[in-house]
Amino acid sequence: MHFTSSLVKPSVELRTFSIRGDERGSLIALEAGLDVPFDVKRIYYIFGTTENVARGFHAHRNLKQMLIAVSGKVRIRCELEGRIEEVWLDSPDKGLCIEGLVWREMHDFTPDCVLMVMASEHYDEADYIRVYEEFKRVQA
Ligand code: T46
């Protein structure tokens, strides 16, 4: 099947989660449909990233994702609808929700960074746009 455009409106939203802390430390609970605005079908995490390596450089047609640096820091650079949005994920209580046709890049991983991602769909290579020129073309 050949898709020409995304069915999901592109958006990038930084959310702050409630920390349930007590004298023992901290706990964050995320519930699908509430804190994460979609049903989670897949979780993956990126860690042990080699120094000076950047990742991503693609868009998704329909996937919704929530990115959380549960440890360390990473800079997320997004392009959507002709504008750039940059966010540092540097605390486990921050989540970046990305939906629809958004070009995303991940830069400046700290060595201790564990980037956890919750996704609305199972892995599907056909949902990826890995060529920037194609991303610009399907946006138009
Ligand atoms: C995204 C950013 C934030 C799988 O087999 N299953 C999976 O669920 C994923 C995510 C990847 N893979 C395979 C595909 C590649 O052979 O793992 C390898 C690395 O994936 P990729 O090069 O796409 O990784 P990143 O870090 O560039 O991008 C990932 C996600 O793929 C992507 O959806 O939005 O993180």
Side-chain angles (χ1 to χ4, degrees), residues 15 17 30-39 66:
R15 294 188 166 206
F17 306 124
L30 302 178
E31 300 201 10
L34 298 173
D35 312 279
V36 183
F38 50 81
D39 285 334
M66 178 72 82

Side-chain angles (χ1 to χ4, degrees), residues 74-135:
V74 60
R75 179 171 60 90
I76 312 293
R77 182 182 190 275
C78 294
E79 179 179 341
L80 67 158
E81 297 179 320
R83 68 180 192 277
I84 304 292
E85 302 226 358
E86 274 203 343
V87 171
W88 273 99
L89 294 179
D90 53 7
S91 171
D93 67 344
K94 288 185 184 175
L96 189 66
C97 189
I98 303 179
E99 300 190 358
L101 207 58
V102 175
W103 186 263
R104 80 276 322 258
E105 301 172 8
M106 297 165 275
H107 297 270
D108 303 330
F109 286 88
T110 55
D112 59 344
C113 183
V114 180
L115 180 63
M116 183 180 73
V117 182
M118 287 175 267
S120 63
E121 305 298 334
H122 293 154
Y123 177 70
D124 176 12
E125 187 58 38
D127 190 66
Y128 283 73
I129 300 175
R130 293 191 182 271
V131 177
Y132 183 73
E133 290 69 29
E134 186 189 354
F135 164 71

Side-chain angles (χ1 to χ4, degrees), residues 42 44 46 55-56 58 60 65 104 106 123 128 130:
R42 176 169 53 112
Y44 59 91
I46 295 167
R55 302 187 62 124
H58 58 254
H60 284 282
Q65 298 198 111
R104 80 276 322 258
M106 297 165 275
Y123 177 70
Y128 283 73
R130 293 191 182 271

